[in-house]
Amino acid sequence: MSSATRHALLSGGFGHQLLTDLVTTCWTPANIFLSVLIFTWIVFAWDLYLSRRQYKIYKSVTEVPTELIGVLDTETLIKARDYNIDKSCFGFYASIWNQLLNTAILWTEAIPLLWRYSGRLIGRVGYTAGDHEILQTLAFVLI
């Protein structure tokens, strides 16, 4: 992008109205929410793909590489390999669980719900939620 075009966009020239229209029509709260959710699933899928690829490498290496023959013995390789295979298997299930949990938290809007509940909770002991955000935050964290 040339500096003249960039200057025109920033100073409210020909592209300003187009940019404003694009932002107001596309960046609605629902679209932002779906974009964040889709992005987290894309990152999750990429991470799962990389982990699966690494798992296959752990499974395929059964002998000490020639470059490490004097440095690493077979017993240590087998222990490290078994540990990494178990760690990788656990990582698969943990990452799937975390992704499903995070999706459920986002989809059910649990964070705003708990924030409102913590505001009502501190209201019961005589504080107003809008004026005592630190107390509300403490109640939120403790819930």
Side-chain angles (χ1 to χ4, degrees):
M1 175 184 306
S2 70
S3 61
T5 306
R6 191 176 312 116
H7 177 69
L9 282 173
L10 294 176
S11 65
F14 66 91
H16 181 70
Q17 186 61 40
L18 176 68
L19 186 61
T20 302
D21 291 345
L22 183 68
V23 168
T24 56
T25 57
C26 293
W27 290 108
T28 63
N31 286 347
I32 292 171
F33 172 78
L34 286 175
S35 298
V36 168
L37 192 61
I38 290 169
F39 180 75
T40 61
W41 275 95
I42 289 170
V43 170
F44 166 73
W46 179 251
D47 186 48
L48 202 62
Y49 164 73
L50 292 176
S51 297
R52 177 73 179 148
R53 207 170 78 172
Q54 190 64 37
Y55 176 78
K56 288 180 181 179
I57 291 171
Y58 292 146
K59 292 292 273 187
S60 68
V61 174
T62 57
E63 297 177 0
V64 177
T66 56
E67 297 86 7
L68 298 175
I69 284 183
V71 178
L72 184 66
D73 62 345
T74 305
E75 182 182 348
T76 306
L77 174 76
I78 290 171
K79 286 181 183 179
R81 178 182 177 267
D82 290 344
Y83 171 78
N84 282 317
I85 288 171
D86 291 343
K87 181 180 170 187
S88 183
C89 285
F90 177 76
F92 288 137
Y93 294 113
S95 65
I96 290 169
W97 170 255
N98 285 333
Q99 183 63 28
L100 291 174
L101 182 64
N102 289 337
T103 299
I105 288 170
L106 284 173
W107 196 262
T108 61
E109 298 179 358
I111 302 294
L113 178 74
L114 289 174
W115 181 256
R116 286 190 299 271
Y117 178 73
S118 65
R120 287 194 304 268
L121 188 65
I122 67 166
R124 289 181 185 168
V125 293
Y127 296 102
T128 55
D131 296 333
H132 298 90
E133 289 180 358
I134 294 175
L135 285 176
Q136 186 173 359
T137 302
L138 289 173
F140 176 81
V141 169
L142 293 174
I143 293 174

